[in-house]
Amino acid sequence: MESAAKKRTSIAIVTGASSGMGREFVRQIAGGYRSISQIWVIARREQVLLELKDELLKSGITDTQIRTLPLDLGEETAFQELELLLKNEKPLIRILVNSAGLGHSGRLENQSVEEALSMLDINCRALTAITMVCLPYFRKGSRIIQMDSGSAFLPQPGFAVYAASKSYVLSLSRALREELRARGISVTAVCPGPVDTPFFETGGITLNSVKKLFLEKPEKVVRKALFDAEKGKAVSVCGCSMKLVHAASGILPQGLMTSLSSLLFSL
Ligand SMILES: NC(=O)c1ccc[n+]([C@@H]2O[C@H](COP(=O)([O-])OP(=O)(O)OC[C@H]3O[C@@H](n4cnc5c(N)ncnc54)[C@H](OP(=O)(O)O)[C@@H]3O)[C@@H](O)[C@H]2O)c1
């Protein structure tokens, strides 16, 4: 007789699956993880999620079922809905990717409170809630991938709330990694520099000449993130320039890093 554990469906959950890196995670997981039989994809735009499902069905690269969950992660009910679904179906979560996120630039004095808080709602609050709701369904070998940012390494004048929200993600990920070590579950914070996705357009952000130099393709960032997560790395940094920023942030004084960041990113 098959054990109850064997009957449980192996799944991946990806938030922010309608665009950019979230969508790329879905593609690469569907193409590369035969042991995962379902990917639950979360975002607000249901139509875009259905188009992604269609694209994967037609590509024939996978038998993985795509399950669309149109949820607004700014609403408390989204976490309750996912929690209920997990309680009813009791799947094994092999991979959780928290990729939903947003950024608005501008000095704090020029930003609305609503705009600033919307970043905290999705980048911090939703990421924390989704991770916690999923915790009972991980097993040994499960991977939690938190889409963080190179902004986590240093305060960023002109992008202050966003950078602070990403510092929160880095700190949370490192602490949770230790908490879950005994269960054999890894947590990886993915910290890229600028990536070529609709993120900037959505946030009304103009990419300056310095950020353009750092621009990476989402395919490359996601491939490295999945690789680093499989290796159980705490932090995934893609590209030499961001590795340099990461290293410098650990050596140079915070005050100097903040001044440099202010100078470079205002160009
Ligand atoms: N692109 C970059 O340069 C860059 C660099 C470093 C880190 N990151 C981080 O990487 C992650 C992914 O960014 P990306 O570049 O892929 O951005 P993106 O293309 O703009 O995608 C953002 C995703 O978040 C979802 N989302 C936003 N608000 C939501 C809400 N209220 N409820 C549910 N889903 C919501 C969007 O879906 P819907 O609109 O359909 O809801 C979309 O799928 C973010 O955490 C971002 O901070 C990005």
Side-chain angles (χ1 to χ4, degrees):
M1 200 175 124
E2 258 187 295
S3 72
K6 272 189 184 160
K7 284 183 198 151
R8 292 169 69 186
T9 312
S10 240
I11 70 163
I13 298 180
V14 180
T15 74
S18 62
S19 177
M21 286 181 275
R23 190 165 58 178
E24 186 56 30
F25 270 110
V26 177
R27 288 185 179 129
Q28 293 194 22
I29 292 170
Y33 288 77
R34 297 215 165 262
S35 60
I36 289 174
S37 47
Q38 277 184 22
I39 308 179
W40 294 12
V41 295
I42 298 175
R44 285 167 302 182
R45 288 169 292 167
E46 185 173 18
Q47 188 52 38
V48 187
L49 294 178
L50 290 169
E51 283 162 18
L52 174 63
K53 180 177 177 167
D54 211 35
E55 173 204 307
L56 290 168
L57 273 176
K58 281 183 186 149
S59 74
I61 54 164
T62 176
D63 295 332
T64 317
Q65 288 176 352
I66 304 294
R67 181 165 184 174
T68 55
L69 301 176
L71 297 172
D72 182 347
L73 298 178
E75 303 285 339
E76 202 85 29
T77 48
F79 318 133
Q80 292 158 359
E81 212 173 297
L82 181 64
E83 189 171 30
L84 194 65
L85 210 56
L86 288 166
K87 244 184 206 155
N88 287 339
E89 306 205 7
K90 297 182 180 51
L92 285 169
I93 306 175
R94 270 275 287 119
I95 305 177
L96 166 66
V97 181
N98 270 305
S99 192
L102 69 152
H104 296 289
S105 61
R107 296 166 66 90
L108 272 189
E109 61 195 359
N110 298 331
Q111 260 182 345
S112 69
V113 171
E114 194 190 6
E115 201 170 71
L117 294 189
S118 69
M119 288 184 266
L120 300 183
D121 280 347
I122 306 304
N123 301 356
C124 302
R125 211 163 170 269
L127 177 139
T128 307
I130 296 284
T131 305
M132 291 177 74
V133 160
C134 290
L135 280 177
Y137 304 94
F138 295 121
R139 60 156 189 212
K140 191 174 179 205
S142 293
R143 306 282 178 235
I144 302 173
I145 299 175
Q146 309 288 33
M147 272 317 297
D148 201 353
S149 165
S151 308
F153 303 144
L154 69 170
Q156 243 182 280
F159 210 11
V161 175
Y162 179 77
S165 77
K166 293 301 184 179
S167 291
Y168 168 89
V169 174
L170 185 57
S171 174
L172 179 84
S173 304
R174 284 189 183 280
L176 184 61
R177 179 181 153 80
E178 281 310 306
E179 288 186 12
L180 296 179
R181 192 184 287 279
R183 281 178 64 192
I185 300 159
S186 77
V187 184
T188 302
V190 182
C191 298
V195 187
D196 194 4
T197 72
F199 175 81
F200 299 99
E201 204 186 321
T202 307
I205 302 165
T206 314
L207 264 184
N208 69 25
S209 46
V210 174
K211 287 198 172 179
K212 274 185 189 155
L213 281 179
F214 286 63
L215 203 62
E216 294 281 4
K217 288 280 169 214
E219 294 83 355
K220 187 176 162 195
V221 175
V222 167
R223 198 170 304 114
K224 174 140 179 60
L226 286 169
F227 181 79
D228 287 343
E230 282 308 319
K231 291 205 147 198
K233 282 196 176 180
V235 180
S236 175
V237 183
C238 188
C240 297
S241 41
M242 276 323 291
K243 282 186 179 150
L244 199 67
V245 174
H246 186 205
S249 70
I251 302 165
L252 298 177
Q254 276 278 307
L256 179 61
M257 284 301 291
T258 309
S259 304
L260 275 176
S261 144
S262 182
L263 183 74
L264 288 173
F265 294 106
S266 63
L267 293 175

